[in-house]
Amino acid sequence: MDRFIIRGGKPLHGEITIGGAKNAGLKLMVAGLLTAGRLVLTNVPRIADIATMRDLLVQHGVAVEDLTGDGSSYSIGGEITNTEAPYDIVSKMRASILVLGPLLARCGKARVSLPGGCAIGTRPVDMHLKGLETLGAEIRLEGGYINATAPKGLIGDRVILPFASVGATENLLMAATLAKGCTEIVNAAREPEIGDLVACLNAMGAKITGSGSGTLIIEGVEVLHGAEHRIMPDRIECGTYACAAAITGGDLKLLGGRVDDLGAVVRALEETGVEVTQESYGMRVRRTGALRGVDIMTEPYPGFPTDMQAQFMAMLAVAEGASMITETIFENRFMHVPELNRMGARINVHGSSAIIRGVHALSGAPVMATDLRASFSLILAGLAAHGETTLSRVYHLDRGYEAVEKKLAACGANIERVKG
Ligand SMILES: CC(=O)N[C@H]1[C@@H](OP(=O)(O)OP(=O)(O)OC[C@H]2O[C@@H](n3ccc(=O)[nH]c3=O)[C@H](O)[C@@H]2O)O[C@H](CO)[C@@H](O)[C@@H]1O
Ligand SMILES: C=C(OP(=O)(O)O)C(=O)O
């Protein structure tokens, strides 16, 4: 298992190119299941989750071609020969559940392993299943699998989501593109990645309106055709490197970064005393004064994203004064707290809130990654800490961040990957 060795204390200066968004790219690849034509995706991030999604799609029988040979551009589409998503892939990556709607819509049946929980929470899929049932699917849970059929095809209807779930919105949205008649998804999630998916589906011939409004209207069509789509920049990667500039007192140009996608994060950064500007090349983030504590609550978009919570906590650990972070999306997303405390942070968790009392400095320590964003919060702490930090279980990080050590080292960080 690879690990990182980080020797902290250097402010980061320079340019980092923001890659394509993991949380858009994965769903856009799944959209390839909806067409017998060719969906060409560009700006694909070279991360482990994308490779897992490629494996999943290939075992469904569709053609997945690496167009440039470097994993940055794929063509996806063709006939589906297998409608089962097996446990060994779904258990690796929860986004696999998103094949359920498209398989049902195109083939009238699907057998998908239940994803189960993960380090950050139990993460049920009841809203995905209830929504598909509203569209006419018959669903049975058996032996850890979701067995779904739509003998008469999917039929458009009104689905009211009790919570604006990102995954449920995407599953229903994709299924509804090929359903008979009109579907309305009320209380749909509004994350920018869903806007990207809508844009791609519409380019494939879908008829979707209401993107970003909380109500999606989908007029079903007979077939979707091929299209070409460039995956949006990863707002979470961008926000993460913004925290790297902030925690080290540096100045980073985040090429391709978009302030508009990161409203709540940018406002919180500014409250801590960090300067953020939109430039023609992307987002610039710099800090010259002290960091100040702030209070944050994670919420569905346009609120503060849960996927930025751990990284912000590392930053607030060295801010002046006290901060409070309340996590409302996942019930167990504070696994980084004991690790940050081992580096000298003073953080107490009370239920869904963490109180962070800023300390003057952190000190390097051996720490362990528990999930994707927690991993990066420990890297951030290591970049700011005195001495050496060793981060193990880097495979969590590799799920969603491309070339971390190269991007950071190019801006002056002392970080190396030790293979093992
Ligand atoms: C691959 C991807 O894009 N992952 C993102 C997606 O995850 P994901 O799509 O899993 O997140 P959801 O918005 O669906 O989940 C939010 C909350 O709703 C609960 N829930 C969800 C569905 C359901 O049927 N029943 C239910 O109870 C979940 O357990 C969780 O507590 O959105 C999350 C919230 O922005 C992000 O943190 C993840 O990075
Ligand atoms: C929680 C995340 O991803 P996933 O939904 O794939 O676990 C994330 O990207 O931070």
Side-chain angles (χ1 to χ4, degrees), residues 363-385:
S363 56
V367 287
M368 200 168 72
T370 48
D371 67 77
L372 172 58
R373 309 301 170 187
S375 310
F376 218 118
S377 78
L378 299 172
I379 292 186
L380 293 171
L383 290 172

Side-chain angles (χ1 to χ4, degrees), residues 22-23 26 49 93-95 118 120 123 236 306-308 330 333 371-373 399-400:
K22 164 178 99 71
N23 288 350
L26 291 173
D49 271 11
M93 186 184 66
R94 290 183 43 87
C118 71
I120 62 176
R123 304 183 75 173
I236 304 300
T306 173
D307 292 351
M308 281 299 306
F330 292 107
R333 214 176 188 180
D371 67 77
L372 172 58
R373 309 301 170 187
R399 276 190 49 214

Side-chain angles (χ1 to χ4, degrees), residues 139-160:
I139 294 179
R140 275 182 307 113
L141 301 183
E142 220 170 47
Y145 274 77
I146 302 158
N147 293 307
T149 55
K152 297 183 202 118
L154 294 176
I155 297 154
D157 206 330
R158 184 166 205 243
V159 181
I160 303 173

Side-chain angles (χ1 to χ4, degrees), residues 22-23 26-27 94-95 123-128 163-168 191 306-307 329-331 333:
K22 164 178 99 71
N23 288 350
L26 291 173
K27 312 4 166 3
R94 290 183 43 87
R123 304 183 75 173
V125 290
D126 53 314
M127 288 185 240
H128 301 232
F163 174 83
S165 153
V166 171
E191 270 67 5
T306 173
D307 292 351
I329 307 294
F330 292 107
E331 70 270 25
R333 214 176 188 180

Side-chain angles (χ1 to χ4, degrees), residues 132-413:
L132 289 169
E133 281 175 337
T134 305
L135 301 187
E138 290 174 11
I139 294 179
R140 275 182 307 113
L141 301 183
E142 220 170 47
Y145 274 77
I146 302 158
N147 293 307
T149 55
K152 297 183 202 118
L154 294 176
I155 297 154
D157 206 330
R158 184 166 205 243
V159 181
I160 303 173
L161 293 176
F163 174 83
S165 153
V166 171
T169 300
E170 293 164 338
N171 227 335
L172 295 169
L173 171 68
M174 287 193 276
T177 58
L178 294 179
K180 287 188 199 97
C182 181
T183 300
E184 190 184 355
I185 306 176
V186 180
N187 196 25
R190 291 183 283 161
E191 270 67 5
E193 292 76 15
I194 295 174
D196 208 31
L197 179 60
V198 168
C200 177
L201 291 169
N202 280 343
M204 294 167 74
K207 292 193 175 147
I208 306 163
T209 54
S211 181
S213 73
T215 300
L216 291 168
I217 313 274
I218 306 115
E219 271 305 331
V221 296
E222 284 283 314
V223 287
L224 293 183
H225 51 71
E228 183 168 335
H229 183 83
R230 183 177 167 82
I231 300 174
M232 66 177 283
D234 195 318
R235 67 191 167 103
I236 304 300
E237 187 193 23
C238 183
T240 301
Y241 286 118
C243 289
I247 199 169
T248 63
D251 184 350
L252 290 179
K253 293 179 175 172
L254 304 174
L255 310 185
R258 302 199 301 220
V259 168
D260 282 355
D261 289 342
L262 276 167
V265 173
V266 168
R267 281 191 295 280
L269 280 167
E270 286 171 344
E271 258 192 82
T272 65
V274 176
E275 199 179 315
V276 183
T277 50
Q278 180 70 56
E279 307 289 344
S280 54
Y281 55 77
M283 200 163 115
R284 181 173 178 191
V285 185
R286 62 197 137 153
R287 175 171 72 84
T288 45
L291 278 172
R292 292 187 296 269
V294 291
D295 292 345
I296 284 165
M297 185 184 290
T298 64
E299 286 172 318
Y301 191 86
F304 188 95
T306 173
D307 292 351
M308 281 299 306
Q309 181 257 105
Q311 303 90 309
F312 244 73
M313 193 180 291
M315 203 177 85
L316 296 176
V318 290
E320 281 176 359
S323 306
M324 181 159 87
I325 296 186
T326 304
E327 170 62 58
T328 73
I329 307 294
F330 292 107
E331 70 270 25
N332 188 27
R333 214 176 188 180
F334 285 138
M335 302 277 281
H336 39 286
V337 169
E339 296 302 277
L340 289 172
N341 284 348
R342 292 184 56 256
M343 297 179 70
R346 287 179 61 208
I347 306 169
N348 289 311
V349 175
H350 304 276
S352 60
S353 293
I355 310 286
I356 303 124
R357 293 185 176 82
V359 296
H360 220 67
L362 297 172
S363 56
V367 287
M368 200 168 72
T370 48
D371 67 77
L372 172 58
R373 309 301 170 187
S375 310
F376 218 118
S377 78
L378 299 172
I379 292 186
L380 293 171
L383 290 172
H386 296 309
E388 189 174 289
T389 296
T390 308
L391 174 68
S392 53
R393 303 202 177 174
V394 165
Y395 58 87
H396 287 295
L397 192 87
D398 291 336
R399 276 190 49 214
Y401 288 97
E402 180 180 324
V404 172
E405 65 277 30
K406 289 198 188 84
K407 290 186 181 187
L408 288 172
C411 297

